[in-house]
Amino acid sequence: MSLDHAILGFLREQPASGYDLKTLCFDHDAQHFWTADQAQIYRTLERLQRAGFVSARVRRQRSRPDRTVYSLTQAGSEELDRWTATVTPLPPLRDPFLMQLRFAAGLPDDDLLALLRARRIAVQARLDALRDRVSTEGRGGTREAVLHRLTLESVVATTRATIDWLDDSIDLLSALAEQSRPAPAGSQRRLFAPRPDEKGSTP
Amino acid sequence: MSLDHAILGFLREQPASGYDLKTLCFDHDAQHFWTADQAQIYRTLERLQRAGFVSARVRRQRSRPDRTVYSLTQAGSEELDRWTATVTPLPPLRDPFLMQLRFAAGLPDDDLLALLRARRIAVQARLDALRDRVSTEGRGGTREAVLHRLTLESVVATTRATIDWLDDSIDLLSALAEQSRPAPAGSQRRLFAPRPDEKGSTP
DNA sequence: CACATATACTTGTGTTGTCCTATATACCTC
DNA sequence: GAGGTATATAGGACAACACAAGTATATGTG
Protein backbone atom coordinates (compact mmCIF):
# COMPACT_ATOMS: atom_id res chain seq x y z
CA MET A 1 0.00 0.00 0.00
CA SER A 2 2.91 2.32 -0.57
CA LEU A 3 1.16 4.07 -3.41
CA ASP A 4 -1.64 5.18 -1.09
CA HIS A 5 0.81 6.91 1.17
CA ALA A 6 2.81 8.42 -1.65
CA ILE A 7 -0.37 10.10 -2.84
CA LEU A 8 -1.22 11.28 0.65
CA GLY A 9 2.33 12.62 0.92
CA PHE A 10 2.14 14.60 -2.28
CA LEU A 11 -1.30 15.93 -1.47
CA ARG A 12 -0.06 17.17 1.88
CA GLU A 13 2.45 19.34 0.04
CA GLN A 14 -0.26 20.66 -2.23
CA PRO A 15 -3.68 19.72 -3.64
CA ALA A 16 -3.50 18.08 -7.04
CA SER A 17 -5.50 16.26 -9.70
CA GLY A 18 -4.81 12.71 -10.81
CA TYR A 19 -3.19 14.14 -13.87
CA ASP A 20 -0.89 16.36 -11.79
CA LEU A 21 0.10 13.45 -9.61
CA LYS A 22 1.05 11.38 -12.63
CA THR A 23 2.90 13.98 -14.66
CA LEU A 24 4.40 16.19 -11.97
CA CYS A 25 4.84 13.92 -8.96
CA PHE A 26 5.36 10.31 -10.01
CA ASP A 27 7.05 10.95 -13.33
CA HIS A 28 9.55 13.35 -11.77
CA ASP A 29 9.82 13.90 -8.04
CA ALA A 30 9.23 10.29 -7.01
CA GLN A 31 10.88 8.73 -10.04
CA HIS A 32 13.81 7.38 -8.03
CA PHE A 33 11.75 5.57 -5.42
CA TRP A 34 8.32 4.84 -6.87
CA THR A 35 6.45 4.86 -10.13
CA ALA A 36 2.76 4.56 -10.78
CA ASP A 37 0.50 3.81 -13.65
CA GLN A 38 -2.00 6.52 -14.49
CA ALA A 39 -4.99 4.18 -14.21
CA GLN A 40 -3.78 3.01 -10.83
CA ILE A 41 -3.49 6.57 -9.55
CA TYR A 42 -7.10 7.39 -10.41
CA ARG A 43 -8.39 4.19 -8.87
CA THR A 44 -6.37 4.80 -5.74
CA LEU A 45 -7.65 8.37 -5.45
CA GLU A 46 -11.19 7.05 -5.60
CA ARG A 47 -10.44 4.55 -2.86
CA LEU A 48 -8.70 7.14 -0.69
CA GLN A 49 -11.71 9.39 -1.06
CA ARG A 50 -14.08 6.63 0.02
CA ALA A 51 -11.79 6.04 3.01
CA GLY A 52 -12.04 9.73 3.90
CA PHE A 53 -8.33 10.46 3.53
CA VAL A 54 -8.76 12.88 0.66
CA SER A 55 -11.53 15.19 -0.48
CA ALA A 56 -12.31 16.13 -4.06
CA ARG A 57 -13.69 19.18 -5.73
CA VAL A 58 -14.21 19.81 -9.40
CA ARG A 59 -12.61 22.82 -11.01
CA ARG A 60 -14.35 23.97 -14.17
CA GLN A 61 -11.97 25.09 -16.86
CA ARG A 62 -12.89 26.90 -20.04
CA SER A 63 -9.99 25.92 -22.22
CA ARG A 64 -9.35 22.43 -20.79
CA PRO A 65 -11.38 19.49 -19.54
CA ASP A 66 -12.57 19.89 -15.96
CA ARG A 67 -10.12 18.81 -13.26
CA THR A 68 -10.94 16.94 -10.10
CA VAL A 69 -8.61 18.41 -7.53
CA TYR A 70 -7.92 16.32 -4.43
CA SER A 71 -6.84 17.66 -1.04
CA LEU A 72 -5.65 15.87 2.06
CA THR A 73 -8.18 15.70 4.88
CA GLN A 74 -7.35 15.76 8.57
CA ALA A 75 -7.82 11.98 8.68
CA GLY A 76 -5.48 11.63 5.72
CA SER A 77 -2.83 13.73 7.38
CA GLU A 78 -3.07 11.65 10.54
CA GLU A 79 -2.83 8.44 8.56
CA LEU A 80 0.25 9.78 6.80
CA ASP A 81 1.93 10.65 10.09
CA ARG A 82 1.05 7.28 11.54
CA TRP A 83 2.52 5.53 8.53
CA THR A 84 5.72 7.56 8.30
CA ALA A 85 6.47 6.81 11.95
CA THR A 86 5.98 3.05 11.50
CA VAL A 87 9.05 0.84 11.35
CA THR A 88 8.57 -1.78 8.66
CA PRO A 89 10.71 -4.86 8.02
CA LEU A 90 13.10 -4.90 5.07
CA PRO A 91 11.26 -6.03 1.96
CA PRO A 92 12.60 -9.17 0.28
CA LEU A 93 15.35 -8.56 -2.27
CA ARG A 94 14.33 -8.81 -5.90
CA ASP A 95 16.71 -8.31 -8.79
CA PRO A 96 16.05 -9.86 -12.19
CA PHE A 97 19.54 -8.95 -13.36
CA LEU A 98 21.24 -10.86 -10.56
CA MET A 99 18.99 -13.78 -11.36
CA GLN A 100 20.07 -13.60 -14.96
CA LEU A 101 23.70 -13.55 -13.92
CA ARG A 102 23.23 -16.40 -11.47
CA PHE A 103 21.97 -18.64 -14.26
CA ALA A 104 24.21 -17.41 -17.05
CA ALA A 105 26.75 -20.21 -16.71
CA GLY A 106 25.60 -21.57 -20.07
CA LEU A 107 26.61 -18.42 -21.93
CA PRO A 108 29.85 -18.04 -23.86
CA ASP A 109 32.32 -15.65 -22.19
CA ASP A 110 31.77 -12.94 -24.76
CA ASP A 111 28.00 -12.91 -24.32
CA LEU A 112 28.37 -12.81 -20.57
CA LEU A 113 30.77 -9.88 -20.74
CA ALA A 114 28.52 -8.11 -23.24
CA LEU A 115 25.66 -8.47 -20.78
CA LEU A 116 27.66 -6.88 -17.98
CA ARG A 117 28.99 -4.10 -20.19
CA ALA A 118 25.50 -3.25 -21.43
CA ARG A 119 24.38 -3.15 -17.84
CA ARG A 120 27.22 -0.85 -16.92
CA ILE A 121 26.17 1.61 -19.58
CA ALA A 122 22.55 1.59 -18.42
CA VAL A 123 23.47 2.00 -14.76
CA GLN A 124 25.90 4.79 -15.57
CA ALA A 125 23.14 6.59 -17.48
CA ARG A 126 20.89 6.30 -14.46
CA LEU A 127 23.65 7.68 -12.25
CA ASP A 128 24.21 10.64 -14.57
CA ALA A 129 20.51 11.43 -14.52
CA LEU A 130 20.48 11.23 -10.74
CA ARG A 131 23.44 13.56 -10.43
CA ASP A 132 21.69 16.07 -12.64
CA ARG A 133 18.74 15.91 -10.33
CA VAL A 134 20.90 16.32 -7.25
CA SER A 135 22.41 19.47 -8.68
CA THR A 136 19.11 20.98 -9.78
CA GLU A 137 16.75 19.74 -7.05
CA GLY A 138 19.21 19.34 -4.22
CA ARG A 139 18.86 22.84 -2.85
CA GLY A 140 16.78 24.34 -0.11
CA GLY A 141 16.98 24.06 3.62
CA THR A 142 13.40 23.18 4.44
CA ARG A 143 12.73 19.87 6.09
CA GLU A 144 11.11 18.58 2.91
CA ALA A 145 14.07 19.67 0.81
CA VAL A 146 16.58 17.97 3.11
CA LEU A 147 14.64 14.72 3.07
CA HIS A 148 14.17 14.85 -0.68
CA ARG A 149 17.93 15.32 -1.07
CA LEU A 150 18.62 12.38 1.23
CA THR A 151 16.45 10.07 -0.84
CA LEU A 152 18.29 11.11 -3.99
CA GLU A 153 21.62 10.55 -2.29
CA SER A 154 20.58 7.09 -1.17
CA VAL A 155 19.97 6.02 -4.73
CA VAL A 156 23.17 7.71 -5.88
CA ALA A 157 25.11 5.75 -3.27
CA THR A 158 23.70 2.34 -4.19
CA THR A 159 23.98 3.10 -7.90
CA ARG A 160 27.64 4.00 -7.53
CA ALA A 161 28.23 0.84 -5.57
CA THR A 162 26.58 -1.12 -8.38
CA ILE A 163 28.87 0.44 -10.96
CA ASP A 164 31.94 -0.38 -8.91
CA TRP A 165 30.73 -3.94 -8.55
CA LEU A 166 30.09 -4.17 -12.29
CA ASP A 167 33.61 -2.93 -13.00
CA ASP A 168 35.13 -5.48 -10.65
CA SER A 169 32.99 -8.25 -12.11
CA ILE A 170 33.89 -7.33 -15.67
CA ASP A 171 37.58 -7.35 -14.75
CA LEU A 172 37.29 -10.70 -13.03
CA LEU A 173 35.34 -12.37 -15.80
CA SER A 174 37.56 -11.03 -18.56
CA ALA A 175 40.58 -12.36 -16.72
CA LEU A 176 38.94 -15.77 -16.42
CA ALA A 177 37.90 -15.68 -20.05
CA GLU A 178 41.44 -14.80 -21.05
CA GLN A 179 42.79 -17.79 -19.14
CA SER A 180 40.46 -20.29 -20.72
CA ARG A 181 40.57 -18.81 -24.20
CA PRO A 182 42.56 -20.91 -26.68
CA ALA A 183 45.72 -18.84 -26.94
CA PRO A 184 46.00 -16.98 -30.27
CA ALA A 185 49.00 -18.24 -32.22
CA GLY A 186 52.33 -17.16 -30.71
CA SER A 187 50.87 -15.45 -27.69
CA GLN A 188 51.06 -18.04 -24.92
CA ARG A 189 53.84 -16.05 -23.48
CA ARG A 190 54.82 -12.53 -24.36
CA LEU A 191 58.29 -12.23 -25.83
CA PHE A 192 58.32 -8.46 -25.75
CA ALA A 193 57.15 -5.97 -23.15
CA PRO A 194 53.80 -4.32 -23.99
CA ARG A 195 54.04 -1.09 -25.98
CA PRO A 196 53.48 2.01 -23.87
CA ASP A 197 49.94 2.52 -25.25
CA GLU A 198 48.89 -0.93 -24.14
CA LYS A 199 47.23 -1.31 -20.78
CA GLY A 200 48.65 -3.70 -18.24
CA SER A 201 46.21 -6.31 -16.95
CA THR A 202 46.41 -5.33 -13.29
CA PRO A 203 47.93 -2.53 -11.24
CA MET B 1 8.40 -13.65 -15.87
CA SER B 2 11.56 -13.87 -13.81
CA LEU B 3 10.21 -16.68 -11.68
CA ASP B 4 9.82 -18.90 -14.71
CA HIS B 5 13.46 -18.52 -15.57
CA ALA B 6 14.64 -18.92 -12.02
CA ILE B 7 12.92 -22.30 -11.96
CA LEU B 8 14.41 -23.27 -15.30
CA GLY B 9 17.79 -22.20 -13.98
CA PHE B 10 17.57 -24.31 -10.86
CA LEU B 11 16.25 -27.29 -12.77
CA ARG B 12 19.18 -27.08 -15.16
CA GLU B 13 21.49 -27.56 -12.20
CA GLN B 14 19.48 -30.54 -11.03
CA PRO B 15 15.95 -31.99 -11.21
CA ALA B 16 13.77 -31.06 -8.27
CA SER B 17 10.25 -31.16 -6.87
CA GLY B 18 8.20 -28.10 -6.07
CA TYR B 19 9.02 -28.65 -2.45
CA ASP B 20 12.75 -28.78 -3.17
CA LEU B 21 12.56 -25.57 -5.16
CA LYS B 22 10.84 -23.80 -2.32
CA THR B 23 12.88 -25.03 0.62
CA LEU B 24 16.30 -25.53 -0.95
CA CYS B 25 16.43 -23.06 -3.83
CA PHE B 26 14.26 -20.03 -3.15
CA ASP B 27 14.52 -20.00 0.63
CA HIS B 28 18.31 -20.21 0.51
CA ASP B 29 20.30 -20.00 -2.70
CA ALA B 30 18.15 -17.32 -4.35
CA GLN B 31 17.21 -15.53 -1.16
CA HIS B 32 19.27 -12.45 -2.03
CA PHE B 33 17.78 -11.89 -5.46
CA TRP B 34 14.36 -13.53 -5.58
CA THR B 35 11.75 -15.08 -3.37
CA ALA B 36 8.72 -17.14 -4.26
CA ASP B 37 5.55 -18.28 -2.62
CA GLN B 38 5.01 -22.03 -2.50
CA ALA B 39 1.66 -21.87 -4.28
CA GLN B 40 3.16 -19.78 -7.02
CA ILE B 41 5.98 -22.26 -7.56
CA TYR B 42 3.60 -25.16 -8.07
CA ARG B 43 1.41 -23.16 -10.43
CA THR B 44 4.43 -22.02 -12.40
CA LEU B 45 5.74 -25.57 -12.68
CA GLU B 46 2.41 -26.65 -14.12
CA ARG B 47 2.54 -23.84 -16.65
CA LEU B 48 6.15 -24.58 -17.60
CA GLN B 49 5.21 -28.20 -18.13
CA ARG B 50 2.34 -27.25 -20.41
CA ALA B 51 4.78 -25.02 -22.31
CA GLY B 52 7.12 -27.99 -22.72
CA PHE B 53 10.02 -26.42 -20.83
CA VAL B 54 10.02 -28.98 -18.04
CA SER B 55 8.98 -32.61 -17.78
CA ALA B 56 7.57 -34.30 -14.71
CA ARG B 57 7.75 -37.76 -13.32
CA VAL B 58 6.32 -39.05 -10.10
CA ARG B 59 8.61 -40.68 -7.59
CA ARG B 60 6.85 -43.06 -5.23
CA GLN B 61 8.14 -42.89 -1.69
CA ARG B 62 7.36 -45.33 1.08
CA SER B 63 7.92 -43.13 4.10
CA ARG B 64 6.83 -39.81 2.52
CA PRO B 65 4.14 -38.53 0.20
CA ASP B 66 4.93 -39.02 -3.48
CA ARG B 67 7.07 -36.36 -5.11
CA THR B 68 6.65 -34.96 -8.57
CA VAL B 69 10.19 -34.39 -9.79
CA TYR B 70 10.66 -31.91 -12.63
CA SER B 71 13.53 -31.88 -15.10
CA LEU B 72 14.54 -29.34 -17.70
CA THR B 73 13.77 -30.32 -21.29
CA GLN B 74 15.83 -29.38 -24.31
CA ALA B 75 13.32 -26.64 -25.12
CA GLY B 76 13.59 -25.38 -21.54
CA SER B 77 17.35 -25.25 -21.73
CA GLU B 78 17.20 -23.30 -24.98
CA GLU B 79 14.70 -20.87 -23.52
CA LEU B 80 16.97 -20.36 -20.53
CA ASP B 81 19.98 -19.62 -22.74
CA ARG B 82 17.93 -17.26 -24.86
CA TRP B 83 16.75 -15.41 -21.77
CA THR B 84 20.11 -15.16 -20.03
CA ALA B 85 21.63 -13.61 -23.16
CA THR B 86 18.89 -10.98 -23.45
CA VAL B 87 19.71 -7.44 -22.40
CA THR B 88 16.77 -6.00 -20.49
CA PRO B 89 16.20 -2.38 -19.49
CA LEU B 90 16.70 -1.34 -15.87
CA PRO B 91 13.51 -1.94 -13.92
CA PRO B 92 11.95 1.14 -12.29
CA LEU B 93 13.23 1.93 -8.82
CA ARG B 94 10.96 1.01 -5.95
CA ASP B 95 11.78 1.63 -2.33
CA PRO B 96 9.06 2.02 0.29
CA PHE B 97 11.59 3.19 2.86
CA LEU B 98 12.77 6.10 0.72
CA MET B 99 9.16 6.99 0.18
CA GLN B 100 8.59 6.98 3.90
CA LEU B 101 11.59 9.23 4.39
CA ARG B 102 10.55 11.56 1.59
CA PHE B 103 7.23 12.22 3.32
CA ALA B 104 8.44 12.17 6.90
CA ALA B 105 8.70 15.95 7.23
CA GLY B 106 5.77 15.89 9.64
CA LEU B 107 7.61 13.72 12.17
CA PRO B 108 9.37 15.07 15.26
CA ASP B 109 13.16 14.86 15.04
CA ASP B 110 13.35 12.01 17.52
CA ASP B 111 10.89 9.84 15.64
CA LEU B 112 12.69 10.49 12.39
CA LEU B 113 16.04 9.53 13.89
CA ALA B 114 14.51 6.46 15.50
CA LEU B 115 13.26 5.41 12.09
CA LEU B 116 16.71 5.70 10.56
CA ARG B 117 18.42 3.96 13.45
CA ALA B 118 15.97 1.06 13.33
CA ARG B 119 16.66 0.82 9.64
CA ARG B 120 20.38 0.79 10.24
CA ILE B 121 20.03 -2.15 12.58
CA ALA B 122 17.94 -4.11 10.09
CA VAL B 123 20.27 -3.40 7.18
CA GLN B 124 23.30 -4.30 9.27
CA ALA B 125 21.66 -7.61 10.14
CA ARG B 126 21.12 -8.30 6.47
CA LEU B 127 24.73 -7.46 5.75
CA ASP B 128 25.95 -9.81 8.49
CA ALA B 129 23.83 -12.62 7.08
CA LEU B 130 25.19 -11.94 3.61
CA ARG B 131 28.77 -12.01 4.84
CA ASP B 132 28.12 -15.36 6.49
CA ARG B 133 26.86 -16.63 3.19
CA VAL B 134 29.84 -15.27 1.29
CA SER B 135 32.21 -17.08 3.63
CA THR B 136 30.34 -20.39 3.54
CA GLU B 137 29.03 -20.43 -0.05
CA GLY B 138 31.64 -18.27 -1.69
CA ARG B 139 33.99 -21.08 -2.58
CA GLY B 140 34.48 -23.12 -5.70
CA GLY B 141 35.93 -22.25 -9.04
CA THR B 142 33.22 -23.57 -11.33
CA ARG B 143 31.45 -21.10 -13.55
CA GLU B 144 28.27 -21.46 -11.48
CA ALA B 145 30.18 -20.86 -8.25
CA VAL B 146 31.86 -17.75 -9.58
CA LEU B 147 28.57 -16.29 -10.78
CA HIS B 148 26.83 -17.17 -7.52
CA ARG B 149 29.59 -15.39 -5.62
CA LEU B 150 29.27 -12.34 -7.84
CA THR B 151 25.55 -12.07 -7.13
CA LEU B 152 26.22 -12.23 -3.41
CA GLU B 153 28.91 -9.58 -3.71
CA SER B 154 26.59 -7.30 -5.61
CA VAL B 155 24.13 -7.29 -2.77
CA VAL B 156 26.92 -6.91 -0.23
CA ALA B 157 28.16 -3.84 -2.10
CA THR B 158 24.80 -2.09 -2.28
CA THR B 159 23.98 -3.04 1.30
CA ARG B 160 27.24 -1.55 2.54
CA ALA B 161 26.55 1.59 0.56
CA THR B 162 23.13 1.80 2.18
CA ILE B 163 24.65 1.55 5.65
CA ASP B 164 27.15 4.30 4.88
CA TRP B 165 24.33 6.46 3.59
CA LEU B 166 22.28 5.76 6.71
CA ASP B 167 25.20 6.75 8.92
CA ASP B 168 25.70 10.00 7.03
CA SER B 169 21.98 10.73 7.15
CA ILE B 170 21.75 10.05 10.86
CA ASP B 171 24.70 12.36 11.48
CA LEU B 172 23.21 15.10 9.36
CA LEU B 173 19.76 14.89 10.87
CA SER B 174 21.02 14.74 14.43
CA ALA B 175 23.10 17.84 13.78
CA LEU B 176 20.06 19.64 12.40
CA ALA B 177 17.93 18.43 15.30
CA GLU B 178 20.56 19.67 17.75
CA GLN B 179 20.51 23.11 16.17
CA SER B 180 16.77 23.53 16.36
CA ARG B 181 16.37 21.91 19.77
CA PRO B 182 15.62 24.36 22.58
CA ALA B 183 18.95 24.32 24.42
CA PRO B 184 18.78 22.44 27.76
CA ALA B 185 19.53 24.80 30.66
CA GLY B 186 23.20 25.72 30.96
CA SER B 187 24.38 23.79 27.92
CA GLN B 188 24.51 26.32 25.12
CA ARG B 189 28.21 26.16 25.39
CA ARG B 190 30.30 23.58 27.21
CA LEU B 191 32.29 25.04 30.06
CA PHE B 192 34.26 21.88 30.74
CA ALA B 193 35.88 19.37 28.44
CA PRO B 194 33.96 16.04 28.12
CA ARG B 195 34.96 13.38 30.65
CA PRO B 196 37.12 10.58 29.16
CA ASP B 197 34.19 8.10 29.14
CA GLU B 198 32.08 10.43 27.03
CA LYS B 199 32.14 9.96 23.32
CA GLY B 200 33.15 12.86 21.11
CA SER B 201 30.64 13.77 18.43
CA THR B 202 33.01 13.14 15.51
CA PRO B 203 36.32 11.32 15.03
C1' DC C 1 -8.93 21.29 -42.77
C1' DA C 2 -6.68 17.31 -41.29
C1' DC C 3 -3.79 15.72 -37.86
C1' DA C 4 -1.02 15.61 -33.95
C1' DT C 5 -0.46 16.99 -29.18
C1' DA C 6 -1.62 18.23 -24.43
C1' DT C 7 -5.03 17.96 -20.99
C1' DA C 8 -8.07 15.02 -18.12
C1' DC C 9 -10.32 10.93 -16.86
C1' DT C 10 -12.45 5.98 -17.37
C1' DT C 11 -12.90 1.06 -18.23
C1' DG C 12 -11.40 -3.47 -19.23
C1' DT C 13 -8.36 -7.19 -18.72
C1' DG C 14 -4.57 -9.99 -17.71
C1' DT C 15 -0.43 -11.17 -14.83
C1' DT C 16 2.06 -11.55 -10.71
C1' DG C 17 2.34 -12.33 -6.21
C1' DT C 18 0.48 -13.12 -1.35
C1' DC C 19 -2.38 -15.28 2.02
C1' DC C 20 -5.03 -18.70 3.77
C1' DT C 21 -6.82 -23.10 3.85
C1' DA C 22 -7.13 -27.96 2.81
C1' DT C 23 -5.37 -32.65 2.07
C1' DA C 24 -2.41 -36.51 3.10
C1' DT C 25 1.38 -39.28 5.12
C1' DA C 26 4.75 -40.40 8.50
C1' DC C 27 7.68 -39.55 12.23
C1' DC C 28 8.69 -38.07 16.92
C1' DT C 29 7.64 -36.74 21.51
C1' DC C 30 5.15 -36.28 25.63
C1' DG D 1 -2.61 -41.96 21.59
C1' DA D 2 -2.61 -36.92 21.06
C1' DG D 3 -0.44 -33.42 19.19
C1' DG D 4 3.42 -31.23 16.90
C1' DT D 5 6.72 -31.24 12.93
C1' DA D 6 8.43 -32.37 8.30
C1' DT D 7 7.20 -33.79 3.74
C1' DA D 8 4.43 -32.83 -0.40
C1' DT D 9 0.79 -30.72 -3.17
C1' DA D 10 -3.43 -27.99 -4.49
C1' DG D 11 -7.17 -24.56 -4.49
C1' DG D 12 -9.69 -20.11 -3.88
C1' DA D 13 -9.64 -15.25 -3.02
C1' DC D 14 -7.68 -11.07 -3.64
C1' DA D 15 -4.59 -6.95 -3.98
C1' DA D 16 -1.15 -4.63 -6.76
C1' DC D 17 0.25 -3.48 -10.97
C1' DA D 18 0.72 -3.08 -15.95
C1' DC D 19 -1.05 -2.62 -20.60
C1' DA D 20 -4.33 -1.15 -23.74
C1' DA D 21 -7.93 1.30 -25.46
C1' DG D 22 -11.62 4.62 -25.24
C1' DT D 23 -13.84 9.31 -24.37
C1' DA D 24 -13.57 14.29 -24.43
C1' DT D 25 -11.93 19.06 -25.35
C1' DA D 26 -8.89 22.61 -26.93
C1' DT D 27 -4.61 24.13 -29.05
C1' DG D 28 -1.14 24.25 -32.36
C1' DT D 29 0.83 22.98 -37.02
C1' DG D 30 1.38 21.82 -41.60
Side-chain angles (χ1 to χ4, degrees):
Chain A
M1 319 264 283
S2 287
L3 179 61
D4 300 42
H5 296 99
I7 289 179
L8 297 183
F10 282 122
L11 292 184
R12 171 139 77 187
E13 292 174 6
Q14 55 174 310
S17 67
Y19 189 81
D20 293 339
L21 286 168
K22 173 60 177 162
T23 57
L24 303 176
C25 301
F26 287 99
D27 287 353
H28 293 98
D29 188 316
Q31 210 200 326
H32 61 300
F33 62 82
W34 208 262
T35 57
D37 186 68
Q38 172 255 68
Q40 205 192 339
I41 290 172
Y42 283 102
R43 282 192 259 246
T44 304
L45 280 169
E46 225 177 300
R47 186 159 41 78
L48 290 173
Q49 193 187 1
R50 280 201 304 276
F53 293 147
V54 305
S55 62
R57 61 172 199 276
V58 176
R59 271 282 164 80
R60 299 256 162 76
Q61 299 189 119
R62 270 168 248 158
S63 60
R64 301 260 169 253
D66 293 353
R67 309 155 47 81
T68 308
V69 177
Y70 294 88
S71 315
L72 200 61
T73 63
Q74 183 59 31
S77 186
E78 280 160 16
E79 168 57 23
L80 183 58
D81 282 337
R82 192 201 56 72
W83 177 77
T84 48
T86 305
V87 172
T88 51
L90 293 182
L93 297 164
R94 238 121 215 278
D95 188 335
F97 179 73
L98 291 185
M99 196 174 103
Q100 211 180 350
L101 189 60
R102 168 69 178 77
F103 297 118
L107 288 191
D109 290 329
D110 290 341
D111 292 9
L112 186 52
L113 282 167
L115 201 67
L116 288 163
R117 295 205 178 98
R119 190 72 174 184
R120 217 221 103 113
I121 288 171
V123 177
Q124 181 68 53
R126 171 172 282 175
L127 182 57
D128 292 343
L130 282 164
R131 283 213 242 256
D132 276 359
R133 294 188 59 197
V134 170
S135 63
T136 60
E137 301 166 30
R139 288 156 211 297
T142 67
R143 217 172 158 77
E144 280 86 2
V146 170
L147 294 177
H148 179 58
R149 183 157 58 245
L150 285 182
T151 63
L152 281 172
E153 275 164 9
S154 172
V155 185
V156 167
T158 51
T159 307
R160 282 161 71 105
T162 300
I163 290 184
D164 291 344
W165 167 79
L166 279 169
D167 285 338
D168 291 348
S169 302
I170 290 168
D171 285 352
L172 175 71
L173 292 178
S174 2
L176 292 179
E178 206 48 50
Q179 273 177 26
S180 62
R181 201 186 297 277
S187 75
Q188 282 91 335
R189 205 144 279 187
R190 278 201 104 114
L191 295 177
F192 305 104
R195 291 198 314 268
D197 60 340
E198 284 182 39
K199 269 197 181 172
S201 59
T202 322
Chain B
M1 319 265 284
S2 287
L3 179 61
D4 299 43
H5 295 100
I7 290 179
L8 297 183
F10 282 122
L11 292 184
R12 170 137 80 188
E13 292 174 6
Q14 56 176 309
S17 67
Y19 189 82
D20 294 338
L21 286 169
K22 172 61 177 163
T23 56
L24 304 176
C25 302
F26 286 100
D27 287 353
H28 293 98
D29 188 315
Q31 209 199 327
H32 62 300
F33 61 82
W34 208 261
T35 58
D37 186 68
Q38 170 258 77
Q40 204 191 345
I41 291 172
Y42 282 102
R43 283 193 257 247
T44 303
L45 281 169
E46 225 177 298
R47 186 158 43 77
L48 290 174
Q49 193 187 0
R50 281 200 304 276
F53 293 147
V54 306
S55 62
R57 60 174 200 277
V58 175
R59 271 281 164 80
R60 297 259 161 73
Q61 298 188 121
R62 269 168 249 156
S63 60
R64 301 262 169 252
D66 293 354
R67 310 156 44 86
T68 308
V69 177
Y70 294 88
S71 315
L72 200 60
T73 63
Q74 184 59 31
S77 186
E78 280 160 16
E79 168 57 22
L80 183 58
D81 283 337
R82 191 200 58 70
W83 177 77
T84 48
T86 304
V87 172
T88 52
L90 293 183
L93 297 164
R94 236 119 215 277
D95 188 335
F97 179 73
L98 291 184
M99 196 174 103
Q100 212 179 351
L101 189 59
R102 168 69 178 79
F103 297 117
L107 288 190
D109 289 329
D110 290 341
D111 292 9
L112 186 52
L113 283 167
L115 201 67
L116 288 163
R117 294 205 179 97
R119 190 70 173 187
R120 217 221 103 114
I121 289 171
V123 177
Q124 182 68 52
R126 171 171 282 175
L127 181 58
D128 293 343
L130 282 164
R131 283 212 241 259
D132 276 0
R133 293 189 58 196
V134 170
S135 63
T136 59
E137 302 167 29
R139 286 154 213 297
T142 67
R143 215 172 159 75
E144 280 85 3
V146 170
L147 294 177
H148 178 58
R149 184 158 57 245
L150 284 182
T151 63
L152 281 172
E153 276 164 8
S154 173
V155 185
V156 166
T158 51
T159 306
R160 281 160 71 104
T162 300
I163 289 183
D164 291 344
W165 167 79
L166 279 169
D167 285 338
D168 292 348
S169 303
I170 290 168
D171 285 352
L172 174 71
L173 292 177
S174 0
L176 291 179
E178 206 49 49
Q179 273 176 25
S180 60
R181 200 186 297 279
S187 73
Q188 282 91 333
R189 208 144 276 186
R190 274 200 109 112
L191 295 178
F192 305 104
R195 290 199 314 269
D197 59 340
E198 283 182 38
K199 271 195 181 171
S201 58
T202 322

